[in-house]
Amino acid sequence: MPEPGLDTDHRPSPDALLERARQETRGRFKIFLGAAPGVGKTYEMLQSGRNRRREGVDVVVGVVETHGRADTAAMAHGFETVDRRIIDYRGQRLDEMDLDAILTRRPALVLVDELAHTNAPGSRHPKRYLDVLELLENGIDVYSTLNIQHVESLNDVVAKITRIRVRETVPDSVIDRADDIEIIDLTPDDLIKRLHEGKVYLPKTASRAIRNYFAPGNLTALRELALRRTAQRVDQQLLHHMQANAIRGSWPSGDRFLVCVNESARAPELVRYAKRQADRMRGPWTVVNVDLPQAARFGDSQKDRLAATMRLAEQLGAQTLTLPGQDVVHEILTYAQSHNINHIIIGRVEKPRWREWMEPPVSSELLRKAGDISVHVISGRGTAAGPRIPRAAADRAPFSLRPYALATFYVAAALGLGYLLSQTLDVQNIAIVFLMAVLTSAVTAGRWPALYASGLAALVFNFFYLDPRHTFTIRDPESVVALFFFFGAALLTSNLTARVHSQAAAARARARMTENLFLFSKRLTVAGTLDDVLWVSVNQIASMLHLNTVILLPEGSTVTVRAGFPPDDTLVDADIAAAQWAWEHNRPAGRGAETLPGAKRLYLPLRTGRMTVGVMGLDSDRPGPLLTPEQQRLYNALADLAALAIERIQLVDDLDRARLAAEADRLRSALLTSVSHDLRTPLAGIKGAAGTLRDYRHAMSEDDRHDLLQTIEQETDRLSRFIGNLLDMTRIETGLTEPNSTLIDLDEVIGATMTRAAAILSGHRVQVSVPADLPPLRIDPMLTEQVMFNLLDNAAKYAPPATLIHVGAWRDGGSVVVQVRDEGPGIPPQDTERIFDMFTRVGKQDYVQAGTGLGLAICRGFVEAMGGTITAANRRDRTGATFTLRLPVPPAPHIPPPEAP
């Protein structure tokens, strides 16, 4: 076991505790997972439900599909079953699980078959697994079934195995939420036997399935996928259990590898060795680098080697991680214990024996403290991991005398201050003054100047304050001891102070980075358009990484520059090819990459969990690698935020397009319904009258022929109005309604309308009151006439025969009000605004007048196009509807005064 004191934090993981708390408030979820159809998932689910019912649990069947299998139907017999909900869709009656009925019934356990099922249009959720999630959130336990080919992350793998792509899938997050997964497994021979016996499909379908999907090789591969996916979920559950209960150490539940690397040239060798071991043991592996304070002093070559090692690990499929800390052994073992790591791989450093005694190798410390964790020490020369990493001579910072001169000044100041204190206050312990100079040197100048100050302070203290004074000779043995301990204390405090100072500087740098990331995320959150997101992203990345930045987004089959900082949209052919390759292959390309390194920029794909949204291009005028390991981590964080923001904008646009498409589909459906019902009536009248005239014209009287011709004329006019309304509505919806406005008197438009509507108003009394002094209006005469005609047609349609239809107009301030009133049944109060919607027709009780439901929608569209408004209300003096138009009065034209003679 790890030695005491190694890990002082034995608290449970907060994330694991939160997950446990969420599980306690929702229902338990169990999935019966099969490798292929026909293995008996539904039967086993029913059997488990029957066992729970014997235990006194309230169990109901939400939906079970027996597929004609007698044994499954027999097992389902006797369960209480919630009736399914019937949905009418395009003339078909579809039955779906009634989610609301189950929530109302609220059983303890509900059985839901076929988790990946797609619900019929009109259901609350498009997928059945969403229904299941709602049941779980309401505290109801759920048993469900699923085949491995329906798992989203395995969809492509299954398609390659079976050459059949399954369209209905379930996100992996749903499987990860399952509390239990039970594998329902059959050997390929047993499953094929069931197929032959007709227990899965009909004989003709079964023989075709055996030749294709149910080939023995396919079934074996699918069984392996099912077992592996279940093992992953069980492994996650074990890890959450250990974290929630603060269980340390490793449990031998599976092989997990942790590889410790640094900037050494041997680090890639360790990564490749770990890859081979992980493949051999079929276990996950993680590559970790402990970011010590000393790493801040690394040179460019060391940082580049470390970055290359981490990139190699990612390319080989490892999870990469950087752990900031002070002690390599402590950080590695803490991570290993909290993530149930049971194999640690580290390189061994060849050192002289005296140096190993002074500075124990990390591998030796790990072997001593690892406990039950296996430590693989890979021998070789060079540095593999350790708390102290020397820098290459070529990477050392240029030597400067300024810090040492500053340390000398502090020691001289301490000498002067000590002299004043000894002369005025008779202070005996002057050494503390020199110790303060050493600490000041450590804080302001760094470690090596502080060590220099320690030695200089010891010499000055000896020369001026130890007898015999003004010599470096020490006569008193007590003074020798005092000087020795002073020098040791100065070395120790200077080293500790310099370390704390470097740690504080690193903490400040991380705090600044965190603050910048937070501000960046806030700016992305408030950005409402794609251009805003792109500009914020390139500006932030360029300013924080000090690199020239461009973002390219896909347009069709290519990517184009959408934003850049500094603004520069020109790309040479090599850069265009590199950006296109990075987009198509989802891998880096260009400068410093393995593909197309001759490009000016390095192109990195912008990825989210769903997709690649674009490409980021980076370049700099300075030679060498573009990104250090620290900058690479910072870029990853910035790029992830930018990619998520771009995806958010694109999802909003997709949602808007989907909404518009749904609205267009609804309009098309309503239009087809209207055409099929309302346009058929006048066509039937015309056809009937024309057929009667053709067949019986010689036997009919002149009056009968006149009536039939009049019917044809009336129905033709009616059909013409319907088609005209449809065309007018199309003009409004497509934005092609441009009023041809001119100054005209309103009484002229109303007079023309009354003449046009004489036929439809023949059965009513009409009263028109329009004052002669109304000002002329700047309106489109044709549109206004159509509006008035539609209002009169609506009044004639709904008002009883012989009732009064009143048309009035008057001036009200800066507007002219036109009002059409009838004596019909009026408008239902809840529909006074809705009647202006397309394809909306309202009526009293079960009676609705025939029509397309477009007339009033056209009125509103035309009136608003001319700058007016239209409203509907019920009359107060009696029953009836009132439609009120308000049209603006144009300003009076300016007439210049006559010129003086």
Side-chain angles (χ1 to χ4, degrees):
M1 297 296 294
E3 70 175 27
L6 176 62
D7 186 8
T8 58
D9 188 3
H10 294 282
R11 296 172 297 176
S13 168
D15 293 334
L17 291 178
L18 287 174
E19 179 62 25
R20 174 175 291 184
R22 285 192 292 265
Q23 290 175 352
E24 292 176 354
T25 59
R26 64 176 185 237
R28 291 189 62 82
F29 185 27
K30 182 175 182 177
I31 296 177
F32 295 84
L33 183 65
V39 297
K41 303 179 301 300
T42 305
Y43 186 91
E44 187 63 31
M45 179 184 70
L46 292 168
Q47 179 67 54
S48 299
R50 191 175 294 275
N51 294 337
R52 294 294 304 277
R53 193 172 61 172
R54 292 194 191 101
E55 298 171 359
V57 178
D58 182 16
V59 183
V60 302
V61 171
V63 57
V64 166
E65 304 291 350
T66 62
H67 298 292
R69 299 164 189 163
D71 52 352
T72 304
M75 182 60 68
H77 180 70
F79 280 98
E80 177 186 349
T81 303
V82 178
D83 293 335
R84 301 192 190 185
R85 187 166 62 95
I86 305 300
I87 299 176
D88 291 326
Y89 179 67
R90 294 184 178 179
Q92 298 182 356
R93 293 172 61 84
L94 306 177
D95 58 278
E96 293 291 352
M97 183 179 73
D98 195 335
L99 178 60
D100 291 324
I102 297 175
L103 292 173
T104 302
R105 170 66 175 75
R106 200 166 185 82
L109 172 64
V110 60
L111 309 182
V112 181
D113 204 6
E114 296 185 358
L115 186 63
H117 172 76
T118 299
N119 292 332
S123 303
R124 178 151 75 234
H125 300 300
K127 294 286 189 177
R128 184 169 290 169
Y129 73 81
L130 296 172
D131 296 336
V132 168
L133 293 180
E134 184 170 345
L135 292 173
L136 294 172
E137 293 300 326
N138 282 272
I140 300 175
D141 296 347
V142 177
Y143 284 179
S144 190
T145 62
L146 181 70
N147 285 327
I148 193 64
Q149 68 263 27
H150 295 292
V151 179
E152 177 65 37
S153 63
L154 301 177
N155 188 255
D156 293 338
V157 179
V158 173
K160 292 179 181 178
I161 295 173
T162 63
R163 295 177 297 280
I164 298 174
R165 182 172 294 276
V166 178
R167 299 300 177 187
E168 293 182 325
T169 59
V170 173
D172 288 61
S173 59
V174 176
I175 301 175
D176 293 336
R177 289 189 61 174
D179 299 284
D180 300 293
I181 296 181
E182 182 175 338
I183 287 287
I184 311 301
D185 191 27
L186 278 181
T187 63
D189 292 339
D190 290 339
L191 181 55
I192 293 174
K193 181 179 179 182
R194 285 173 56 85
L195 284 166
H196 283 302
E197 294 173 350
K199 295 182 178 180
V200 180
Y201 298 127
L202 295 175
K204 183 181 295 185
T205 305
S207 60
R208 186 169 62 250
I210 293 173
R211 291 193 305 269
N212 298 289
Y213 190 91
F214 287 84
N218 293 352
L219 295 177
T220 301
L222 293 175
R223 290 180 71 200
E224 181 181 5
L225 287 178
L227 292 170
R228 288 190 179 279
R229 188 60 183 86
T230 305
Q232 291 176 8
R233 176 57 186 148
V234 173
D235 190 67
Q236 292 174 358
Q237 289 176 322
L238 173 62
L239 184 59
H240 283 304
H241 172 76
M242 295 179 63
Q243 294 175 346
N245 293 276
I247 299 175
R248 315 304 296 176
S250 62
W251 283 9
S253 58
D255 294 300
R256 292 186 180 87
F257 294 85
L258 182 67
V259 190
C260 311
V261 299
N262 59 12
E263 87 299 344
S264 167
R266 285 194 57 235
E269 177 186 343
L270 296 180
V271 171
R272 296 187 183 94
Y273 174 83
K275 168 64 175 175
R276 294 192 297 270
Q277 293 296 319
D279 289 345
R280 187 178 300 115
M281 305 295 289
R282 297 184 179 274
W285 59 301
T286 303
V287 176
V288 64
N289 166 251
V290 179
D291 187 13
L292 300 172
Q294 297 92 314
R297 303 193 304 272
F298 284 173
D300 290 340
S301 62
Q302 293 170 302
K303 295 178 180 179
D304 295 341
R305 284 198 300 269
L306 179 57
T309 301
M310 303 300 271
R311 284 196 297 269
L312 173 64
E314 291 177 351
Q315 293 170 2
L316 295 179
Q319 176 187 357
T320 60
L321 187 67
T322 299
L323 299 175
Q326 305 295 323
D327 186 349
V328 173
V329 175
H330 178 272
E331 298 298 335
I332 291 174
L333 290 181
T334 299
Y335 181 85
Q337 292 167 355
S338 61
H339 290 78
N340 201 25
I341 300 293
N342 44 27
H343 295 277
I344 297 177
I345 299 176
I346 193 169
R348 183 175 182 272
V349 181
E350 296 290 345
K351 296 181 180 179
R353 183 143 333 246
W354 64 268
R355 187 175 174 187
E356 291 186 0
W357 182 80
M358 295 288 295
E359 184 182 347
V362 172
S363 56
S364 301
E365 292 295 300
L366 279 176
L367 287 169
R368 187 171 64 87
K369 300 178 180 180
D372 295 334
I373 303 176
S374 300
V375 179
H376 303 247
V377 181
I378 310 303
S379 61
R381 297 183 179 276
T383 305
R388 180 178 179 276
I389 306 169
R391 291 185 297 167
D395 296 332
R396 296 183 185 274
F399 179 78
S400 174
L401 289 176
R402 185 177 182 280
Y404 295 92
L406 194 61
T408 304
F409 170 77
Y410 292 144
V411 174
L415 175 61
L417 180 60
Y419 178 78
L420 292 176
L421 291 175
S422 63
Q423 295 297 320
T424 57
L425 300 178
D426 194 21
V427 176
Q428 299 298 321
N429 192 6
I430 301 299
I432 194 68
V433 179
F434 290 95
L435 192 59
M436 183 61 67
V438 174
L439 294 177
T440 306
S441 300
V443 171
T444 58
R447 172 172 288 127
W448 290 108
L451 295 177
Y452 162 76
S454 301
L456 181 61
L459 293 176
V460 172
F461 180 66
N462 177 20
F463 188 82
F464 288 98
Y465 292 100
L466 294 181
D467 293 329
R469 299 192 178 191
H470 307 300
T471 67
F472 291 106
T473 303
I474 304 176
R475 181 173 54 196
D476 188 357
E478 182 178 349
S479 299
V480 176
V481 174
L483 180 63
F484 174 78
F485 280 101
F486 168 77
F487 183 65
L491 290 177
L492 182 61
T493 54
S494 64
N495 191 47
L496 291 176
T497 304
R499 178 180 298 181
V500 171
H501 182 65
S502 62
Q503 293 173 3
R508 286 193 298 270
R510 293 193 182 98
R512 285 194 299 270
M513 183 183 299
T514 303
E515 179 67 16
N516 288 331
L517 289 175
F518 173 70
L519 295 176
F520 181 43
S521 65
K522 287 185 61 177
R523 294 175 63 189
L524 289 178
T525 302
V526 300
T529 65
L530 181 60
D531 290 337
D532 291 340
V533 168
L534 297 178
W535 170 250
V536 169
S537 300
V538 297
N539 186 36
Q540 189 76 22
I541 293 175
S543 60
M544 293 186 67
L545 296 178
H546 305 290
L547 297 173
N548 301 330
T549 307
V550 294
I551 291 182
L552 300 93
L553 297 185
E555 290 186 3
S557 59
T558 62
V559 290
T560 58
V561 177
R562 293 293 302 274
F565 189 88
D568 182 11
D569 297 339
T570 58
L571 295 180
V572 298
D573 292 342
D575 282 79
I576 295 174
Q580 187 70 27
W581 193 94
W583 161 253
E584 294 175 351
H585 296 82
N586 198 24
R587 292 174 54 190
R591 175 178 172 180
E594 298 177 354
T595 304
L596 302 174
K600 176 184 177 183
R601 293 179 173 90
L602 170 64
Y603 293 93
L604 302 168
L606 289 171
R607 293 185 289 255
T608 65
R610 294 177 58 252
M611 57 188 294
T612 300
V613 298
V615 177
M616 180 81 72
L618 305 174
D619 78 283
S620 174
D621 296 333
R622 62 177 182 269
L626 289 174
L627 298 173
T628 64
E630 293 85 356
Q631 290 178 323
Q632 182 67 53
R633 293 196 299 271
L634 177 58
Y635 168 79
N636 292 338
L638 295 170
D640 289 344
L641 290 173
L644 289 174
I646 295 173
E647 184 184 45
R648 173 178 62 83
I649 296 295
Q650 292 177 345
L651 288 176
V652 171
D653 293 341
D654 292 342
L655 182 62
D656 290 340
R657 284 192 292 268
R659 180 180 57 79
L660 293 175
E663 182 68 17
D665 185 66
R666 186 186 71 83
L667 292 177
R668 282 193 297 268
S669 300
L671 177 61
L672 291 174
T673 303
S674 176
V675 169
S676 62
H677 289 83
D678 297 318
L679 301 187
R680 187 180 300 169
T681 302
L683 286 174
I686 294 171
K687 184 176 181 181
T692 302
L693 283 173
R694 181 193 62 197
D695 297 334
Y696 303 104
R697 65 180 181 275
H698 298 295
M700 298 175 64
S701 64
E702 185 67 27
D703 292 338
D704 291 338
R705 287 196 295 270
H706 179 270
D707 290 341
L708 289 175
L709 290 173
Q710 188 177 18
T711 299
I712 294 175
E713 184 178 5
Q714 291 174 349
E715 294 300 321
T716 301
D717 291 340
R718 182 180 173 189
L719 181 61
S720 177
R721 289 198 302 271
F722 285 166
I723 295 175
N725 283 340
L726 291 173
L727 294 176
D728 289 340
M729 200 69 246
T730 302
R731 291 170 58 196
I732 293 174
E733 287 297 300
T734 55
L736 298 178
T737 303
E738 287 291 337
N740 186 15
S741 300
T742 183
L743 280 176
I744 190 171
D745 290 330
L746 183 63
D747 56 352
E748 295 183 18
V749 178
I750 294 178
T753 305
M754 300 303 298
T755 302
R756 177 183 171 190
I760 63 175
L761 296 175
S762 59
H764 295 79
R765 293 180 291 116
V766 181
Q767 181 182 11
V768 179
S769 58
V770 179
D773 59 347
L774 284 179
L777 301 177
R778 186 170 294 280
I779 55 178
D780 187 319
M782 298 299 296
L783 298 185
T784 307
E785 180 181 334
Q786 185 64 43
V787 170
M788 295 301 300
F789 181 86
N790 286 350
L791 292 178
L792 293 172
D793 180 47
N794 183 78
K797 184 185 300 181
Y798 285 94
T803 57
L804 178 65
I805 297 177
H806 178 266
V807 178
W810 64 90
R811 180 165 184 170
D812 183 12
S815 303
V816 169
V817 178
V818 183
Q819 199 170 75
V820 177
R821 295 185 295 172
D822 61 53
E823 296 179 351
I827 307 169
Q830 69 274 13
D831 294 326
T832 54
E833 182 64 26
R834 194 171 67 88
I835 59 174
F836 292 103
D837 295 339
M838 289 183 292
F839 306 109
T840 299
R841 291 173 291 170
V842 298
K844 292 293 185 180
Q845 299 178 352
D846 296 330
Y847 178 69
V848 178
Q849 285 283 356
T852 59
L854 292 175
L856 295 180
I858 292 171
C859 290
R860 170 163 284 185
F862 284 174
V863 170
E864 291 180 350
M866 293 184 293
T869 61
I870 181 171
T871 58
N874 288 312
R875 297 179 62 171
R876 297 183 179 180
D877 55 341
R878 55 162 301 150
T879 60
T882 300
F883 291 89
T884 305
L885 281 73
R886 285 186 175 271
L887 298 171
V889 176
H894 175 68
I895 301 177
E899 296 181 0

